[in-house]
Amino acid sequence: MAISLSRFYQRLAKELRKSNDFESSLSAMLEWGAVNEPHPVWTQLGAFDAVGEINAARAWLPRVLADAPCPFPVRGIYFGLGEFASKRVEYADLYLALFGRCDLDDVKSNWLWEAPSHYPDKARLKSKAMKAGGLLCHQGGATAGLSTEGYICFSLSFTSLLLRHVLDGEWFAKLGAPCPIGVVTGFDSGNRLRLGVLSREGLALTAGAMT
Protein backbone atom coordinates (compact mmCIF):
# COMPACT_ATOMS: atom_id res chain seq x y z
CA MET A 1 0.00 0.00 0.00
CA ALA A 2 1.59 3.28 -1.15
CA ILE A 3 1.10 6.65 0.47
CA SER A 4 -1.13 9.18 -1.30
CA LEU A 5 0.93 12.37 -1.57
CA SER A 6 -2.17 14.57 -1.73
CA ARG A 7 -3.40 13.09 1.57
CA PHE A 8 0.08 13.40 3.02
CA TYR A 9 0.23 17.14 2.26
CA GLN A 10 -3.16 17.64 3.87
CA ARG A 11 -2.07 15.77 6.99
CA LEU A 12 1.27 17.60 7.16
CA ALA A 13 -0.42 21.01 6.84
CA LYS A 14 -2.71 20.11 9.74
CA GLU A 15 0.26 19.02 11.88
CA LEU A 16 2.25 22.14 11.07
CA ARG A 17 -0.62 24.38 12.15
CA LYS A 18 -1.12 22.72 15.53
CA SER A 19 2.46 21.69 16.33
CA ASN A 20 3.86 22.68 19.71
CA ASP A 21 6.82 20.30 19.73
CA PHE A 22 9.10 19.06 16.96
CA GLU A 23 9.61 15.53 18.26
CA SER A 24 5.99 14.76 19.09
CA SER A 25 4.72 16.19 15.80
CA LEU A 26 7.24 14.20 13.79
CA SER A 27 6.23 11.08 15.73
CA ALA A 28 2.62 11.78 14.75
CA MET A 29 3.59 12.03 11.08
CA LEU A 30 5.62 8.81 11.27
CA GLU A 31 2.65 7.05 12.85
CA TRP A 32 0.47 8.33 10.01
CA GLY A 33 3.02 6.96 7.53
CA ALA A 34 3.02 3.56 9.26
CA VAL A 35 -0.76 3.34 8.97
CA ASN A 36 -0.73 4.26 5.29
CA GLU A 37 2.34 2.24 4.31
CA PRO A 38 2.97 -0.48 6.91
CA HIS A 39 6.71 -1.11 7.32
CA PRO A 40 8.92 -1.74 10.38
CA VAL A 41 11.28 1.10 9.41
CA TRP A 42 8.82 3.78 10.61
CA THR A 43 9.57 2.91 14.25
CA GLN A 44 13.32 3.15 13.61
CA LEU A 45 12.91 6.57 11.96
CA GLY A 46 11.58 7.95 15.24
CA ALA A 47 14.80 7.15 17.16
CA PHE A 48 16.86 10.35 16.89
CA ASP A 49 18.21 13.18 19.03
CA ALA A 50 15.52 15.85 18.61
CA VAL A 51 17.24 18.38 20.88
CA GLY A 52 20.53 17.90 19.05
CA GLU A 53 18.86 18.45 15.67
CA ILE A 54 17.14 21.64 16.88
CA ASN A 55 20.38 23.02 18.34
CA ALA A 56 22.35 22.21 15.19
CA ALA A 57 19.74 23.91 13.00
CA ARG A 58 19.74 27.05 15.18
CA ALA A 59 23.53 27.35 14.85
CA TRP A 60 23.39 26.71 11.11
CA LEU A 61 22.51 30.15 9.69
CA PRO A 62 25.09 32.15 11.66
CA ARG A 63 27.79 29.74 10.49
CA VAL A 64 26.75 30.01 6.84
CA LEU A 65 26.41 33.80 6.88
CA ALA A 66 29.77 34.22 8.64
CA ASP A 67 31.46 32.28 5.84
CA ALA A 68 29.49 33.82 2.97
CA PRO A 69 27.40 36.97 3.67
CA CYS A 70 24.58 37.61 1.23
CA PRO A 71 25.48 40.49 -1.17
CA PHE A 72 21.90 41.80 -1.51
CA PRO A 73 18.79 42.33 0.70
CA VAL A 74 17.13 38.98 1.35
CA ARG A 75 13.49 38.60 0.25
CA GLY A 76 13.24 34.81 -0.04
CA ILE A 77 14.92 31.74 1.39
CA TYR A 78 14.88 28.21 0.02
CA PHE A 79 15.64 25.26 2.24
CA GLY A 80 16.46 22.69 -0.39
CA LEU A 81 16.58 18.95 0.06
CA GLY A 82 19.60 17.91 -1.95
CA GLU A 83 20.20 14.19 -2.44
CA PHE A 84 23.50 12.59 -1.53
CA ALA A 85 24.78 9.03 -1.22
CA SER A 86 26.70 6.86 1.22
CA LYS A 87 27.97 3.59 -0.24
CA ARG A 88 25.58 4.13 -3.15
CA VAL A 89 22.54 4.49 -0.87
CA GLU A 90 20.77 7.84 -1.19
CA TYR A 91 19.70 10.19 1.57
CA ALA A 92 18.55 13.82 1.68
CA ASP A 93 20.12 16.74 3.51
CA LEU A 94 19.11 20.37 3.88
CA TYR A 95 20.96 23.30 2.40
CA LEU A 96 19.90 26.92 2.17
CA ALA A 97 19.90 29.51 -0.60
CA LEU A 98 18.96 33.19 -0.38
CA PHE A 99 17.05 35.24 -2.95
CA GLY A 100 16.49 38.91 -3.77
CA ARG A 101 12.84 38.35 -4.70
CA CYS A 102 10.00 36.08 -3.61
CA ASP A 103 6.45 35.43 -4.77
CA LEU A 104 4.55 32.99 -2.57
CA ASP A 105 1.50 33.38 -4.81
CA ASP A 106 3.48 31.71 -7.61
CA VAL A 107 2.34 28.10 -7.31
CA LYS A 108 5.33 26.89 -9.34
CA SER A 109 7.83 29.00 -7.39
CA ASN A 110 9.51 30.13 -10.59
CA TRP A 111 11.22 32.90 -8.62
CA LEU A 112 13.63 30.22 -7.36
CA TRP A 113 15.19 30.32 -10.83
CA GLU A 114 14.50 33.91 -11.84
CA ALA A 115 15.39 36.00 -8.77
CA PRO A 116 18.91 37.17 -7.83
CA SER A 117 20.33 34.26 -5.85
CA HIS A 118 23.06 33.49 -3.35
CA TYR A 119 24.10 29.86 -2.91
CA PRO A 120 26.73 29.89 -0.16
CA ASP A 121 29.45 27.25 -0.13
CA LYS A 122 29.30 24.78 2.75
CA ALA A 123 25.63 25.57 3.29
CA ARG A 124 24.51 22.03 4.19
CA LEU A 125 22.98 21.34 7.57
CA LYS A 126 24.59 17.86 7.70
CA SER A 127 21.73 16.50 9.76
CA LYS A 128 22.64 13.19 11.38
CA ALA A 129 18.99 12.20 11.67
CA MET A 130 18.17 12.93 8.03
CA LYS A 131 21.14 10.93 6.82
CA ALA A 132 20.36 7.97 9.08
CA GLY A 133 16.68 8.17 8.16
CA GLY A 134 17.30 8.34 4.43
CA LEU A 135 19.59 5.31 4.59
CA LEU A 136 16.94 3.42 6.57
CA CYS A 137 14.26 4.33 4.00
CA HIS A 138 16.40 2.89 1.21
CA GLN A 139 17.90 -0.10 3.00
CA GLY A 140 17.76 -3.22 0.90
CA GLY A 141 16.79 -1.31 -2.25
CA ALA A 142 13.36 -0.61 -3.67
CA THR A 143 11.95 -4.04 -2.79
CA ALA A 144 12.84 -3.92 0.93
CA GLY A 145 12.79 -0.21 1.84
CA LEU A 146 10.02 2.36 1.84
CA SER A 147 8.41 3.49 -1.39
CA THR A 148 9.40 6.82 -2.93
CA GLU A 149 6.25 8.29 -1.39
CA GLY A 150 7.25 6.97 2.04
CA TYR A 151 10.69 8.52 1.70
CA ILE A 152 9.13 11.86 0.71
CA CYS A 153 6.78 11.62 3.70
CA PHE A 154 9.69 11.16 6.12
CA SER A 155 11.98 13.77 4.55
CA LEU A 156 9.43 16.56 4.10
CA SER A 157 7.84 15.93 7.50
CA PHE A 158 11.23 16.14 9.20
CA THR A 159 12.31 19.23 7.26
CA SER A 160 9.13 21.29 7.52
CA LEU A 161 8.56 20.51 11.21
CA LEU A 162 12.19 21.27 12.03
CA LEU A 163 11.90 24.64 10.29
CA ARG A 164 8.57 25.27 12.02
CA HIS A 165 10.36 25.14 15.38
CA VAL A 166 13.65 26.81 14.41
CA LEU A 167 12.67 29.80 12.26
CA ASP A 168 11.97 32.72 14.56
CA GLY A 169 12.58 36.44 14.99
CA GLU A 170 16.20 35.79 15.88
CA TRP A 171 16.80 34.06 12.55
CA PHE A 172 15.09 36.96 10.77
CA ALA A 173 17.32 39.48 12.56
CA LYS A 174 20.47 37.60 11.57
CA LEU A 175 19.41 37.78 7.91
CA GLY A 176 19.18 41.58 8.17
CA ALA A 177 16.22 41.66 5.80
CA PRO A 178 14.34 44.95 5.24
CA CYS A 179 10.94 43.23 5.16
CA PRO A 180 9.37 39.79 5.75
CA ILE A 181 10.93 36.85 3.89
CA GLY A 182 9.14 34.11 1.94
CA VAL A 183 10.13 30.55 2.87
CA VAL A 184 10.02 27.50 0.59
CA THR A 185 11.31 24.01 1.32
CA GLY A 186 11.42 20.70 -0.52
CA PHE A 187 13.30 18.53 -2.95
CA ASP A 188 15.29 20.11 -5.76
CA SER A 189 13.60 17.62 -8.10
CA GLY A 190 10.09 18.70 -7.05
CA ASN A 191 7.65 18.18 -4.14
CA ARG A 192 8.14 21.62 -2.62
CA LEU A 193 6.11 23.49 0.00
CA ARG A 194 5.51 27.23 0.21
CA LEU A 195 5.92 27.11 3.96
CA GLY A 196 5.21 30.69 5.02
CA VAL A 197 6.63 34.13 5.78
CA LEU A 198 9.42 34.87 8.26
CA SER A 199 9.46 38.21 10.09
CA ARG A 200 10.59 39.61 13.43
CA GLU A 201 7.48 37.98 14.92
CA GLY A 202 8.61 34.56 13.71
CA LEU A 203 7.30 32.19 11.03
CA ALA A 204 3.72 32.78 9.88
CA LEU A 205 2.51 29.64 8.16
CA THR A 206 0.57 29.87 4.91
CA ALA A 207 -1.88 27.27 3.72
CA GLY A 208 1.12 25.84 1.87
CA ALA A 209 1.04 24.00 -1.42
CA MET A 210 3.00 21.56 -3.47
CA THR A 211 4.67 23.36 -6.37
Side-chain angles (χ1 to χ4, degrees):
M1 179 169 60
I3 286 174
S4 162
L5 286 181
S6 61
R7 289 182 59 222
F8 160 66
Y9 283 110
Q10 292 172 3
R11 179 65 184 84
L12 178 59
K14 180 180 178 181
E15 192 64 40
L16 283 165
R17 286 193 297 271
K18 71 176 186 178
S19 180
N20 292 314
D21 175 75
F22 169 50
E23 186 173 13
S24 60
S25 284
L26 183 58
S27 293
M29 291 305 303
L30 296 178
E31 290 171 7
W32 183 89
V35 169
N36 287 273
E37 184 181 332
H39 196 293
V41 78
W42 292 107
T43 301
Q44 297 172 270
L45 289 172
F48 69 97
D49 179 6
V51 173
E53 290 292 322
I54 289 282
N55 289 339
R58 284 180 175 151
W60 179 28
L61 180 66
R63 171 177 58 79
V64 172
L65 292 180
D67 290 341
C70 188
F72 50 76
V74 178
R75 296 296 304 275
I77 186 166
Y78 173 54
F79 293 95
L81 278 167
E83 295 186 87
F84 305 90
S86 176
K87 298 181 180 178
R88 299 185 180 181
V89 181
E90 290 188 352
Y91 64 93
D93 191 25
L94 272 176
Y95 71 90
L96 64 86
L98 305 172
F99 296 84
R101 186 172 69 82
C102 172
D103 181 4
L104 288 179
D105 292 327
D106 176 5
V107 296
K108 294 186 178 180
S109 294
N110 286 324
W111 59 270
L112 290 172
W113 294 272
E114 298 171 354
S117 59
H118 177 55
Y119 285 80
D121 292 333
K122 301 178 181 179
R124 283 177 57 188
L125 175 58
K126 295 188 177 180
S127 164
K128 294 179 181 178
M130 291 203 70
K131 179 177 181 179
L135 298 179
L136 281 170
C137 288
H138 293 126
Q139 64 183 356
T143 56
L146 287 179
S147 67
T148 298
E149 291 80 6
Y151 172 58
I152 290 171
C153 176
F154 162 69
S155 299
L156 270 182
S157 294
F158 189 101
T159 298
S160 56
L161 287 165
L162 180 68
L163 295 173
R164 168 74 173 80
H165 291 282
V166 167
L167 296 180
D168 56 16
E170 188 174 338
W171 256 68
F172 178 76
K174 285 183 171 65
L175 286 164
C179 56
I181 299 168
V183 180
V184 172
T185 188
F187 284 93
D188 292 349
S189 55
N191 297 296
R192 286 181 289 273
L193 289 171
R194 290 169 284 146
L195 193 59
V197 176
L198 180 64
S199 70
R200 61 173 56 91
E201 283 77 35
L203 180 66
L205 297 171
T206 63
M210 201 174 115
T211 63

